[in-house]
Short mmCIF file of all heavy atoms in Angstrom, two decimals:
data_model
loop_
_atom_site.label_atom_id
_atom_site.label_comp_id
_atom_site.label_asym_id
_atom_site.label_seq_id
_atom_site.Cartn_x
_atom_site.Cartn_y
_atom_site.Cartn_z
N CYS A 58 -47.58 6.46 -21.01
CA CYS A 58 -49.05 6.24 -21.41
C CYS A 58 -49.86 5.91 -20.14
O CYS A 58 -50.94 6.41 -19.97
CB CYS A 58 -49.15 5.12 -22.32
SG CYS A 58 -48.61 5.51 -23.96
N ALA A 59 -49.24 5.17 -19.21
CA ALA A 59 -49.87 4.81 -17.91
C ALA A 59 -50.13 6.06 -17.07
O ALA A 59 -51.21 6.26 -16.56
CB ALA A 59 -49.12 3.90 -17.27
N TYR A 60 -49.14 6.93 -17.12
CA TYR A 60 -49.22 8.25 -16.33
C TYR A 60 -50.43 9.13 -16.95
O TYR A 60 -51.21 9.60 -16.08
CB TYR A 60 -47.92 9.07 -16.44
CG TYR A 60 -48.07 10.37 -15.72
CD1 TYR A 60 -48.06 10.39 -14.25
CD2 TYR A 60 -48.15 11.48 -16.45
CE1 TYR A 60 -48.18 11.64 -13.73
CE2 TYR A 60 -48.29 12.65 -15.84
CZ TYR A 60 -48.24 12.77 -14.52
OH TYR A 60 -48.39 14.05 -13.88
N ARG A 61 -50.43 9.15 -18.20
CA ARG A 61 -51.52 9.99 -18.93
C ARG A 61 -52.91 9.41 -18.75
O ARG A 61 -53.82 10.12 -18.55
CB ARG A 61 -51.28 10.07 -20.34
CG ARG A 61 -50.03 11.04 -20.59
CD ARG A 61 -49.98 11.31 -22.16
NE ARG A 61 -48.63 11.89 -22.38
CZ ARG A 61 -48.38 13.22 -22.42
NH1 ARG A 61 -49.47 14.00 -21.98
NH2 ARG A 61 -47.21 13.75 -22.67
N GLU A 62 -52.96 8.10 -18.56
CA GLU A 62 -54.31 7.48 -18.38
C GLU A 62 -54.85 7.67 -16.95
O GLU A 62 -55.96 7.83 -16.62
CB GLU A 62 -54.16 5.95 -18.59
CG GLU A 62 -54.04 5.58 -20.09
CD GLU A 62 -53.90 4.04 -20.29
OE1 GLU A 62 -53.84 3.30 -19.31
OE2 GLU A 62 -53.55 3.73 -21.45
N LEU A 63 -53.86 7.75 -15.97
CA LEU A 63 -54.18 7.87 -14.64
C LEU A 63 -54.29 9.39 -14.16
O LEU A 63 -55.02 9.64 -13.19
CB LEU A 63 -53.13 7.19 -13.69
CG LEU A 63 -53.07 5.58 -13.89
CD1 LEU A 63 -51.93 5.13 -12.97
CD2 LEU A 63 -54.38 5.09 -13.51
N ALA A 64 -53.76 10.24 -14.95
CA ALA A 64 -53.78 11.55 -14.65
C ALA A 64 -55.16 12.09 -14.67
O ALA A 64 -55.91 11.82 -15.63
CB ALA A 64 -52.85 12.44 -15.47
N PRO A 65 -55.65 13.00 -13.91
CA PRO A 65 -57.06 13.59 -14.10
C PRO A 65 -57.05 14.52 -15.28
O PRO A 65 -56.14 15.12 -15.65
CB PRO A 65 -57.05 14.46 -12.77
CG PRO A 65 -55.75 14.78 -12.24
CD PRO A 65 -54.88 13.60 -12.69
N VAL A 66 -58.20 14.43 -15.88
CA VAL A 66 -58.37 15.08 -17.13
C VAL A 66 -58.98 16.57 -16.82
O VAL A 66 -60.01 16.67 -16.21
CB VAL A 66 -59.35 14.38 -18.03
CG1 VAL A 66 -59.54 15.12 -19.44
CG2 VAL A 66 -58.76 12.94 -18.46
N ASP A 67 -58.10 17.59 -17.09
CA ASP A 67 -58.56 18.77 -17.03
C ASP A 67 -59.07 19.35 -18.44
O ASP A 67 -58.21 19.65 -19.36
CB ASP A 67 -57.42 19.75 -16.56
CG ASP A 67 -56.97 19.47 -15.11
OD1 ASP A 67 -57.83 18.88 -14.41
OD2 ASP A 67 -55.88 19.67 -14.74
N GLU A 68 -60.26 19.52 -18.44
CA GLU A 68 -60.83 20.09 -19.79
C GLU A 68 -60.67 21.54 -19.82
O GLU A 68 -61.20 22.23 -19.02
CB GLU A 68 -62.30 19.69 -19.92
CG GLU A 68 -62.47 18.06 -19.69
CD GLU A 68 -63.46 17.65 -20.76
OE1 GLU A 68 -63.91 18.50 -21.59
OE2 GLU A 68 -63.74 16.45 -20.82
N VAL A 69 -59.83 22.02 -20.72
CA VAL A 69 -59.58 23.39 -20.85
C VAL A 69 -60.35 23.87 -21.99
O VAL A 69 -60.19 23.42 -23.14
CB VAL A 69 -58.01 23.58 -21.12
CG1 VAL A 69 -57.69 25.09 -21.33
CG2 VAL A 69 -57.11 22.98 -20.00
N GLU A 70 -61.20 24.92 -21.64
CA GLU A 70 -61.98 25.54 -22.68
C GLU A 70 -61.11 26.51 -23.44
O GLU A 70 -60.28 27.15 -22.84
CB GLU A 70 -63.16 26.16 -22.09
CG GLU A 70 -64.15 25.27 -21.38
CD GLU A 70 -65.31 26.04 -20.74
OE1 GLU A 70 -65.51 27.11 -21.11
OE2 GLU A 70 -65.91 25.28 -19.91
N PRO A 71 -61.36 26.67 -24.77
CA PRO A 71 -60.67 27.69 -25.59
C PRO A 71 -60.95 29.02 -25.04
O PRO A 71 -62.05 29.30 -24.64
CB PRO A 71 -61.03 27.39 -26.93
CG PRO A 71 -62.31 26.66 -26.78
CD PRO A 71 -62.30 25.97 -25.54
N PRO A 72 -59.90 29.81 -25.09
CA PRO A 72 -60.16 31.23 -24.54
C PRO A 72 -61.24 31.97 -25.33
O PRO A 72 -61.22 31.76 -26.55
CB PRO A 72 -58.95 31.93 -24.60
CG PRO A 72 -57.97 31.15 -25.42
CD PRO A 72 -58.61 29.76 -25.48
N VAL A 73 -62.06 32.85 -24.84
CA VAL A 73 -63.09 33.60 -25.47
C VAL A 73 -62.49 34.94 -25.84
O VAL A 73 -61.80 35.58 -24.90
CB VAL A 73 -64.35 33.77 -24.60
CG1 VAL A 73 -65.39 34.59 -25.28
CG2 VAL A 73 -64.92 32.35 -24.36
N MET A 74 -62.59 35.33 -26.99
CA MET A 74 -62.09 36.70 -27.45
C MET A 74 -62.84 37.81 -26.73
O MET A 74 -64.12 37.83 -26.78
CB MET A 74 -62.17 36.85 -28.94
CG MET A 74 -61.55 38.13 -29.35
SD MET A 74 -61.55 38.45 -31.21
CE MET A 74 -60.62 37.12 -31.69
N PRO A 75 -62.15 38.73 -26.05
CA PRO A 75 -62.84 39.91 -25.51
C PRO A 75 -63.54 40.70 -26.58
O PRO A 75 -63.15 40.79 -27.62
CB PRO A 75 -61.65 40.66 -24.77
CG PRO A 75 -60.47 39.68 -24.71
CD PRO A 75 -60.70 38.71 -25.86
N GLU A 76 -64.58 41.42 -26.19
CA GLU A 76 -65.33 42.16 -26.95
C GLU A 76 -64.64 43.22 -27.74
O GLU A 76 -64.78 43.50 -28.89
CB GLU A 76 -66.62 42.78 -26.32
CG GLU A 76 -67.66 41.72 -25.88
CD GLU A 76 -68.29 40.99 -27.21
OE1 GLU A 76 -68.59 41.70 -28.23
OE2 GLU A 76 -68.38 39.81 -27.07
N HIS A 77 -63.65 43.91 -26.98
CA HIS A 77 -62.92 45.05 -27.63
C HIS A 77 -62.06 44.55 -28.72
O HIS A 77 -61.82 45.38 -29.74
CB HIS A 77 -62.19 45.84 -26.52
CG HIS A 77 -60.98 45.11 -26.03
ND1 HIS A 77 -61.05 44.24 -25.02
CD2 HIS A 77 -59.64 45.18 -26.40
CE1 HIS A 77 -59.86 43.75 -24.79
NE2 HIS A 77 -59.08 44.34 -25.67
N LEU A 78 -61.53 43.37 -28.74
CA LEU A 78 -60.78 42.96 -29.91
C LEU A 78 -61.57 42.48 -31.05
O LEU A 78 -61.02 42.42 -32.20
CB LEU A 78 -60.06 41.57 -29.36
CG LEU A 78 -58.94 41.81 -28.41
CD1 LEU A 78 -58.25 40.47 -27.98
CD2 LEU A 78 -57.92 42.76 -28.85
N LYS A 79 -62.95 42.53 -30.96
CA LYS A 79 -63.70 42.26 -32.12
C LYS A 79 -63.95 43.45 -32.90
O LYS A 79 -64.42 43.40 -34.00
CB LYS A 79 -65.05 41.50 -31.73
CG LYS A 79 -64.90 40.10 -31.12
CD LYS A 79 -66.23 39.61 -30.66
CE LYS A 79 -66.06 38.28 -29.97
NZ LYS A 79 -67.31 37.78 -29.37
N ARG A 80 -63.76 44.56 -32.37
CA ARG A 80 -63.93 45.83 -32.99
C ARG A 80 -62.64 46.24 -33.80
O ARG A 80 -61.74 46.74 -33.19
CB ARG A 80 -64.18 46.95 -32.02
CG ARG A 80 -65.55 46.63 -31.22
CD ARG A 80 -65.98 47.83 -30.37
NE ARG A 80 -65.06 48.19 -29.24
CZ ARG A 80 -65.18 47.73 -28.02
NH1 ARG A 80 -66.24 46.90 -27.70
NH2 ARG A 80 -64.35 48.11 -27.14
N THR A 81 -62.71 45.89 -35.11
CA THR A 81 -61.49 46.15 -35.89
C THR A 81 -61.63 47.22 -37.08
O THR A 81 -60.74 47.26 -37.93
CB THR A 81 -61.05 44.87 -36.54
OG1 THR A 81 -62.09 44.29 -37.24
CG2 THR A 81 -60.61 43.82 -35.43
N SER A 82 -62.69 47.94 -37.01
CA SER A 82 -62.97 48.97 -38.07
C SER A 82 -62.13 50.19 -37.53
O SER A 82 -61.99 50.53 -36.42
CB SER A 82 -64.27 49.28 -38.36
OG SER A 82 -65.01 49.99 -37.27
N LEU A 83 -61.87 51.15 -38.57
CA LEU A 83 -61.13 52.34 -38.25
C LEU A 83 -61.99 53.29 -37.41
O LEU A 83 -61.51 53.84 -36.46
CB LEU A 83 -60.70 53.03 -39.51
CG LEU A 83 -59.90 54.39 -39.47
CD1 LEU A 83 -58.60 54.05 -38.76
CD2 LEU A 83 -59.86 54.97 -40.76
N ALA A 84 -63.25 53.29 -37.64
CA ALA A 84 -64.14 54.18 -36.94
C ALA A 84 -64.29 53.69 -35.42
O ALA A 84 -64.30 54.54 -34.58
CB ALA A 84 -65.55 54.28 -37.55
N GLU A 85 -64.32 52.34 -35.29
CA GLU A 85 -64.42 51.82 -33.80
C GLU A 85 -63.20 52.09 -33.04
O GLU A 85 -63.20 52.60 -31.85
CB GLU A 85 -64.75 50.35 -33.92
CG GLU A 85 -66.10 50.01 -34.46
CD GLU A 85 -66.32 48.59 -34.66
OE1 GLU A 85 -65.30 47.87 -35.11
OE2 GLU A 85 -67.48 47.94 -34.51
N VAL A 86 -61.95 51.98 -33.74
CA VAL A 86 -60.77 52.14 -32.95
C VAL A 86 -60.61 53.67 -32.73
O VAL A 86 -60.21 54.04 -31.64
CB VAL A 86 -59.61 51.59 -33.80
CG1 VAL A 86 -58.24 52.07 -33.10
CG2 VAL A 86 -59.60 50.15 -33.96
N ALA A 87 -61.01 54.53 -33.61
CA ALA A 87 -60.87 55.91 -33.44
C ALA A 87 -61.88 56.44 -32.29
O ALA A 87 -61.53 57.29 -31.35
CB ALA A 87 -61.34 56.65 -34.66
N ALA A 88 -63.07 55.79 -32.21
CA ALA A 88 -63.92 56.12 -31.05
C ALA A 88 -63.44 55.66 -29.81
O ALA A 88 -63.55 56.41 -28.82
CB ALA A 88 -65.33 55.48 -31.37
N GLU A 89 -62.75 54.51 -29.78
CA GLU A 89 -62.27 53.94 -28.53
C GLU A 89 -61.04 54.85 -28.12
O GLU A 89 -60.91 55.12 -26.86
CB GLU A 89 -61.67 52.61 -28.72
CG GLU A 89 -61.41 51.85 -27.58
CD GLU A 89 -61.11 50.37 -27.85
OE1 GLU A 89 -61.67 49.78 -28.73
OE2 GLU A 89 -60.25 49.77 -26.98
#
Side-chain angles (χ1 to χ4, degrees):
C58 289
Y60 176 77
R61 291 187 188 276
E62 288 174 5
L63 295 175
V66 178
D67 293 333
E68 302 223 1
V69 179
E70 295 181 17
V73 177
M74 184 180 293
E76 289 300 317
H77 72 277
L78 289 178
K79 294 178 183 175
R80 298 189 294 266
T81 57
S82 72
L83 185 62
E85 291 170 326
V86 173
E89 195 172 329

